[in-house]
Amino acid sequence: MIPRLLGVYINRQFLINVRHILRSFVAAIQTSYDFIAMSNIKSESVSESSVSEPPPTQPSVPISYPIKTLEELESRSYFDSFHYPFNRASVPILNGGSSSLPQRRRLLVCHDMAGGYLDDKWIQGGTNPDAYAIWHWHLIDVFIYFSHSLVTLPPPSWTNTAHRHGVKVLGTFITEWDEGRTVCDTLLSTKETAHMYAERLAELAADLGFDGWLINMEVNLDPGQIPNLIEFVDHLSLTMHSSVPGSLVLWYDSVTVDGKLNWQDQLNEHNKPFFDICDGIFVNYTWKEDYPRLSAAVANERKFDVYMGIDVFGRNTYGGGQWNVDVALDLLRKNDVSAAIFAPGWVYETKQAPDFETAQNSWWGHVEKSWGVLRKFPGPSPFYTNFDQGRGYHISVDGDNVSDTTWCNISCQGFQPQLLLVDPSNSIQVSVDLKEASYSGGGNITFKGSLEEKTYFESKIFQVGFLLSELPVHFIYTVKSDSNSSLGLKLEFTSTGDGRRASILLASREVNHFSDKFSKVIMTRERKGFSSGWVINEGVVAMSGYTLTEIHAVCYRSDSNDNDGTVASPSEYFALLGHITIKTVDYKSDFPLSSSWLVDGTCIKWTSDPLGSKTLDVKISWKLKHENSYLFLKFNVYLVKLSKQAGGNPGTTLEDVKEYLGVAQVSCFYVSDLKVPSDTSTLKFIIQVCGVDGTIQELDESPYYELEVEGP
């Protein structure tokens, strides 16, 4: 009863005021004890003080970080940072030929976690296999990276994986507290300054490869500043649209047209002037039951541009958030407006039982059940996925394990499967198991359980919309399984003419006992011989005039195991699906010759120890000598240490050991603290080019950079 009574008096403004007081108190204490923070400056964790440091210009491990002041924004000092070229997203957004958002209700996700820039700040990857990640991209239309810094720049890892799934990514521009009011006094001092800062923000988005901005002005303003605020928002929208087609500028429901910081919790006459000059409004999350309907009426034909906020932590949010997020989503679906889910990392931060993966899938299952799956991926050509979640316990390349080091790098996420929630009653459990073997990267789909003879089990893994042309299509997938376990793919098609449905099973073994369940069975060609046990399956499908709508995995046992026709008792089943590639038969990966590349090393720094060993820091950069249409989004980086044999020639290698260093999403890679044994004469850095269809260039044919080891 007492909490309910308190709820009457405690609103967001009250909490803001309390937070303001506490912040001032903490700031005073922190000033007195700055020396403590300095002693922990090399900590792996990211604190507010660490991201407040000036833009780093000296070479160091590449990181993402925000812009903290208007001075930094105006001076464009960010572009002088050593880290700038590493922060450019490289993956173009998958949009099916349309840069605009669909005309339907949409789902926006605003990621706010502990100040931001945690494990995701390490551009070349961190070491935490349990790092936070999102993999339910098929439900999301827009992703916002949020923090309380003035200019929050999305780490390229989020932009890369979101774009891979067709999701737009926005940064955040926020003003709050006394500092925010000071910022606004400068920002809005004249029409010219408003335009200049808007252009700086648009330049950052266009150059770093993300899709726009959320504008959150959480301060009281003078009424006389509002005309220049409108100029700022309007000019930012126009500049973004001209520089990045399909970009978005969203207004957060905060300050009103009379300058008051007064959250409306709906679209109305107090905030609509801002809505009218940008691409939508993110409505504050303390709205009441009737507000979505009222907001839709005010927006009229733009009702889908109204994103009603839902705070997953449940702070005065409709329905209570948390595991009841579907209560708010159900109402928004009924009123046919869009939703903005704030802080879905609640599942991770509050350590929901029994573990993050299970809780994450269950929570997003609530979202999917309420909201539905409204997106259908048009399908790039070619299509490739290795089911990598962007974190794990090992890394593989073409079936070979190249690293057993724990890691995280969201940029490495493959196209994520749309697996159903685990059903304990199923005979086979389907999951992404990061500890099982991988064919490529660190992911897979694991099928484990029991399966009787002459039966099969199927599980949907993708809902797509790939229109097939006259050219036959190659389906290539890898399987690693027990000897008595087989895994195939079921492809569901719909005719674009009369809507007829057809299903094709790709199988590597005879399935006579259930072949009548499919329109056609195509036997795949197997390529074996991998020491790791992976088998490559290839099948060709010709379905011109049909659209591929779903892909299912099919678990079965081979007819060759039937002997007397009796039904055997259930037996164990285990199989891994390593990757899927879909491409037309005429598509071939084309890798430029090694001699076509310019590879260089800069920022070279040697450090010696008393025992004769050395440590190296170096930035390696590469580019093609001539402009062309090649699109490479990923590069594996290897190292070979060449030693001088006794009585031999310099530059010979005792063992041709290629050490995997990491992966680059841009055309540069920073090597830090590399230990170089005293008998090493030359270091050879190999840049392995990766195709968009999952193929890779042979290491012996890849570009490389050689560096002679500095003498004593």
Side-chain angles (χ1 to χ4, degrees):
M1 176 62 100
I2 291 176
R4 279 192 217 162
L5 290 173
L6 286 174
V8 175
Y9 301 99
I10 298 178
N11 56 23
R12 180 171 180 179
Q13 185 62 65
F14 174 83
L15 294 173
I16 289 286
N17 292 337
V18 170
R19 183 181 167 192
H20 196 175
I21 295 170
L22 290 175
R23 177 175 168 152
S24 299
F25 178 68
V26 170
I29 295 176
Q30 188 171 2
T31 300
S32 303
Y33 291 94
D34 272 350
F35 67 94
I36 297 176
M38 291 301 293
S39 67
N40 296 316
I41 193 124
K42 293 187 177 180
S43 171
E44 281 283 315
S45 63
V46 184
S47 66
E48 185 174 347
S49 60
S50 67
V51 297
S52 298
E53 294 299 313
T57 57
Q58 296 302 310
S60 60
V61 177
I63 61 170
S64 296
Y65 61 93
I67 293 175
K68 306 291 289 186
T69 67
L70 273 184
E71 291 76 18
E72 289 178 62
L73 180 61
E74 180 179 357
S75 69
R76 303 176 71 251
S77 62
Y78 181 85
F79 297 107
D80 297 325
S81 165
F82 173 80
H83 302 265
Y84 154 63
F86 298 92
N87 273 279
R88 304 181 73 179
S90 58
V91 179
I93 189 167
L94 170 65
N95 56 29
S98 173
S99 61
S100 301
L101 287 172
Q103 285 302 305
R104 56 159 174 78
R105 56 186 166 85
R106 309 165 193 137
L107 190 67
L108 178 154
V109 165
C110 188
H111 174 57
D112 173 36
M113 181 178 288
Y117 304 99
L118 304 174
D119 291 301
D120 54 5
K121 81 163 185 173
W122 304 107
I123 298 173
Q124 294 180 174
T127 59
N128 180 12
D130 300 317
Y132 178 73
I134 288 175
W135 52 87
H136 294 81
W137 295 105
H138 63 287
L139 301 174
I140 304 170
D141 295 288
V142 181
F143 175 86
I144 297 175
Y145 195 81
F146 182 91
S147 82
H148 289 278
S149 296
L150 178 66
V151 180
T152 300
L153 302 170
S157 56
W158 286 107
T159 305
N160 283 334
T161 192
H163 279 185
R164 190 172 289 119
H165 293 85
V167 177
K168 295 183 186 294
V169 177
L170 309 185
T172 304
F173 181 82
I174 186 171
T175 60
E176 53 186 350
W177 315 116
D178 293 339
E179 302 97 315
R181 179 57 193 266
T182 302
V183 164
C184 286
D185 288 343
T186 302
L187 170 72
L188 307 176
S189 58
T190 66
K191 175 181 175 180
E192 289 71 26
T193 58
H195 283 195
M196 181 268 291
Y197 287 115
E199 290 166 6
R200 292 291 189 270
L201 292 177
E203 179 187 30
L204 283 164
D207 200 88
L208 296 180
F210 59 95
D211 308 291
W213 295 96
L214 171 68
I215 304 301
N216 188 0
M217 313 296 282
E218 299 251 358
V219 292
N220 285 296
L221 297 174
D222 295 330
Q225 293 177 304
I226 297 302
N228 284 339
L229 177 57
I230 290 176
E231 285 287 345
F232 171 71
V233 177
D234 184 50
H235 194 65
L236 177 59
S237 298
L238 294 174
T239 309
M240 279 302 313
H241 295 163
S242 64
S243 57
V244 181
S247 58
L248 302 174
V249 174
L250 301 183
W251 175 260
Y252 191 83
D253 166 30
S254 49
V255 72
T256 61
V257 288
D258 58 4
K260 294 180 180 178
L261 179 56
N262 187 5
W263 300 274
Q264 299 298 296
D265 299 329
Q266 61 183 303
L267 177 65
N268 59 24
E269 69 275 14
H270 298 295
N271 51 30
K272 189 171 183 292
F274 301 110
F275 174 79
D276 290 340
I277 57 175
C278 68
D279 301 292
I281 186 170
F282 186 144
V283 174
N284 188 47
Y285 48 76
T286 56
W287 46 268
K288 307 300 181 184
E289 184 172 357
D290 206 31
Y291 289 5
R293 180 185 64 82
L294 295 174
S295 298
V298 173
N300 200 357
E301 72 276 4
R302 288 188 62 200
K303 64 179 180 179
F304 301 133
D305 296 335
V306 176
Y307 300 84
M308 304 296 294
I310 305 170
D311 180 16
V312 181
F313 278 82
R315 292 162 288 202
N316 295 318
T317 204
Y318 184 83
Q322 302 184 12
W323 291 104
N324 295 316
V325 66
D326 51 317
V327 175
L329 289 172
D330 287 345
L331 182 65
L332 300 181
R333 187 188 70 242
K334 176 182 176 182
N335 287 279
D336 205 23
V337 294
S338 297
I341 294 179
F342 186 79
W346 168 83
V347 176
Y348 182 89
E349 290 190 75
T350 58
K351 297 180 172 57
Q352 293 294 299
D355 56 73
F356 172 54
E357 290 79 6
T358 304
Q360 170 101 320
N361 288 329
S362 180
W363 187 86
W364 281 99
H366 282 261
V367 174
E368 180 170 337
K369 184 177 180 180
S370 171
W371 199 248
V373 180
L374 304 182
R375 300 183 57 211
K376 289 189 177 180
F377 295 108
S381 181
F383 170 84
Y384 169 77
T385 181
N386 58 6
F387 314 112
D388 197 321
Q389 279 191 359
R391 60 207 187 105
Y393 298 86
H394 52 257
I395 295 175
S396 295
V397 176
D398 274 5
D400 294 324
N401 189 57
V402 297
S403 174
D404 284 319
T405 302
T406 59
W407 65 280
C408 59
N409 187 342
I410 301 171
S411 272
C412 294
Q413 267 200 6
F415 205 79
Q416 291 299 293
Q418 301 159 31
L419 303 180
L420 298 176
L421 284 176
V422 172
D423 184 349
S425 65
N426 287 339
S427 62
I428 292 178
Q429 298 301 307
V430 184
S431 65
V432 173
D433 190 335
L434 303 181
K435 293 186 177 180
E436 289 289 353
S438 303
Y439 178 76
S440 173
N444 58 58
I445 301 183
T446 301
F447 303 85
K448 186 183 299 184
S450 61
L451 189 67
E452 296 182 1
E453 298 288 353
K454 295 190 175 183
T455 65
Y456 71 95
F457 172 87
E458 69 174 83
S459 177
K460 184 176 76 173
I461 53 179
F462 286 116
Q463 179 175 315
V464 293
F466 301 174
L467 177 62
L468 273 64
S469 65
E470 294 181 358
L471 288 173
V473 175
H474 248 133
F475 286 81
I476 306 168
Y477 60 98
T478 45
V479 175
K480 182 176 183 177
S481 65
D482 291 345
S483 59
N484 197 30
S485 302
S486 297
L487 185 68
L489 294 181
K490 172 188 172 184
L491 312 174
E492 292 196 353
F493 295 92
T494 301
S495 170
T496 55
D498 54 17
R500 285 181 301 167
R501 299 178 64 85
S503 62
I504 292 178
L505 175 66
L506 301 178
S508 59
R509 302 180 187 178
E510 295 294 338
V511 290
N512 294 328
H513 51 277
F514 63 87
S515 60
D516 59 340
K517 304 295 184 182
F518 309 94
S519 306
K520 186 178 182 180
V521 177
I522 295 177
M523 301 304 296
T524 60
R525 180 168 65 92
E526 289 188 325
R527 280 195 284 147
K528 301 181 179 180
F530 292 93
S531 59
S532 54
W534 288 98
V535 176
I536 299 177
N537 295 267
E538 298 183 32
V540 179
V541 176
M543 293 289 287
S544 177
Y546 279 78
T547 297
L548 175 63
T549 57
E550 292 184 5
I551 302 175
H552 295 227
V554 178
C555 305
Y556 65 98
R557 300 194 183 283
S558 170
D559 285 349
S560 61
N561 293 318
D562 297 339
N563 40 38
D564 58 2
T566 60
V567 178
S569 60
S571 56
E572 291 186 358
Y573 181 96
F574 178 81
L576 300 173
L577 181 60
H579 93 283
I580 297 176
T581 299
I582 306 173
K583 56 185 177 181
T584 55
V585 293
D586 65 336
Y587 181 90
K588 293 182 180 179
S589 297
D590 185 12
F591 296 110
L593 296 173
S594 174
S595 58
S596 303
W597 295 87
L598 292 173
V599 189
D600 191 23
T602 57
C603 306
I604 299 171
K605 178 183 177 182
W606 293 99
T607 306
S608 301
D609 66 20
L611 300 179
S613 294
K614 297 180 181 296
T615 301
L616 172 68
D617 298 340
V618 59
K619 176 186 175 183
I620 305 170
S621 304
W622 54 92
K623 65 178 181 179
L624 286 164
K625 294 178 181 178
H626 305 289
E627 293 293 330
N628 50 58
S629 59
Y630 288 114
L631 176 63
F632 300 116
L633 306 178
K634 178 181 173 183
F635 305 88
N636 294 324
V637 182
Y638 291 84
L639 169 67
V640 177
K641 297 174 181 176
L642 303 171
S643 303
K644 181 179 180 180
Q645 298 184 30
N649 298 317
T652 58
T653 179
L654 296 177
E655 292 184 47
D656 188 17
V657 177
K658 297 178 176 66
E659 177 185 349
Y660 177 81
L661 295 183
V663 62
Q665 311 291 335
V666 290
S667 298
C668 53
F669 187 83
Y670 187 67
V671 179
S672 64
D673 296 324
L674 177 68
K675 302 296 187 289
V676 182
S678 57
D679 62 346
T680 304
S681 63
T682 306
L683 299 173
K684 182 179 181 180
F685 297 93
I686 303 174
I687 313 302
Q688 185 179 49
V689 185
C690 304
V692 293
D693 63 342
T695 56
I696 56 176
Q697 191 170 24
E698 294 292 334
L699 284 173
D700 292 341
E701 300 174 2
S702 298
Y704 61 90
Y705 168 69
E706 285 190 344
L707 176 65
E708 290 188 10
V709 177
E710 185 182 66

